[in-house]
Amino acid sequence: MKLITVDPVTLVRLGYSAACATHADIDLVGQAATGEETRDLIGDLQPDVVTIDAAVPGQGGLQLAAELRAARPQLGLVLTGPAEDGLLLQALQAGLSAYLPRSAPVELLMSAVRHAAVAPASFTAPNLAEAMARRRTRSTALSPREEQILQQLNTGGSLAAIAVRMRLTESTVRTYVARLYDKLGVHNRTQALQAAARLYLI
């Protein structure tokens, strides 16, 4: 199978070259560091699988992978990045073939590439079941009103403005926000939104 790897880090690209050299069934035909380079290579080389790191500069690896999925349904797409539930679940939602943390062993990476080649529309990831369970647990832990408050925090505006939009008193909104912070284990709005994104709540 033909593989293209996309990663902004030179040493990582060298690592892919070394890994593929010991796996005769995987032919590393091209490497890129940016989305623009990736599109050109795919058009020229017609790979079976593309691995993309989440840290690709510009639009980011997830968005690049999602665009490629929309344009090429039969292309195997493996996203790599930090070991975070949020990215894993976003990769699943985007219809990618696999998500792997950067710390995954080489053999696991090669297995994900093989999976993507034969079943590009079937998602796989280490700890997928656990990530889904954590998402369900966190989602059910928030009350419907707390979920509404979380969405309002995400849209911006002061707590007073949120109170007006929700037709609540500002003190009531502050109470819900305090409960929300406590459940998410955070201390301010920025941390709350970051935690909610990781947990795929927003």
Side-chain angles (χ1 to χ4, degrees):
M1 78 190 72
K2 294 193 293 183
L3 171 68
I4 287 176
T5 63
V6 187
D7 196 293
V9 180
T10 301
L11 287 176
V12 173
R13 296 197 299 273
L14 289 172
Y16 271 106
S17 297
C20 292
T22 62
H23 294 78
D25 61 322
I26 299 176
D27 184 13
L28 182 61
V29 296
Q31 293 189 302
T34 67
E36 185 175 351
E37 291 175 5
T38 303
R39 295 183 191 92
D40 291 341
L41 282 178
I42 291 174
D44 293 340
L45 301 173
Q46 297 297 311
D48 301 298
V49 180
V50 179
T51 65
I52 302 172
D53 191 78
V56 170
Q59 67 193 127
L62 177 64
Q63 183 60 36
L64 172 62
E67 288 184 8
L68 292 175
R69 167 55 69 239
R72 296 173 178 266
Q74 300 306 312
L75 179 63
L77 291 165
V78 178
L79 186 70
T80 60
E84 294 180 358
D85 289 353
L87 266 174
L88 185 158
L89 294 167
Q90 288 178 71
L92 170 63
Q93 185 182 47
L96 307 188
S97 311
Y99 182 82
L100 279 183
R102 297 187 186 107
S103 58
V106 170
E107 287 304 322
L108 193 57
L109 175 61
M110 296 296 103
S111 293
V113 168
R114 293 185 182 99
H115 164 86
V118 299
S122 174
F123 185 79
T124 185
N127 303 319
L128 174 60
E130 291 89 339
M132 295 296 288
R134 284 191 290 269
R135 176 190 175 190
R136 286 191 295 271
T137 299
R138 288 289 187 173
S139 296
T140 55
L142 299 183
S143 70
R145 182 65 85 182
E146 288 163 352
E147 290 180 358
Q148 291 174 350
I149 293 288
L150 178 61
Q151 298 305 322
Q152 289 292 328
L153 290 174
N154 193 37
T155 61
S158 66
L159 296 188
I162 291 173
V164 171
R165 289 199 296 264
M166 296 186 68
R167 299 181 180 179
L168 299 170
T169 65
E170 186 174 347
S171 62
T172 299
V173 170
R174 290 186 183 279
T175 297
Y176 280 119
V177 168
R179 291 178 187 168
L180 181 63
Y181 287 179
D182 183 59
K183 288 183 177 180
L184 292 175
V186 299
H187 303 288
N188 57 50
R189 181 186 296 210
T190 299
Q191 291 175 353
L193 294 178
Q194 290 173 343
R198 286 196 300 270
L199 295 166
Y200 207 55
L201 299 176
I202 56 174

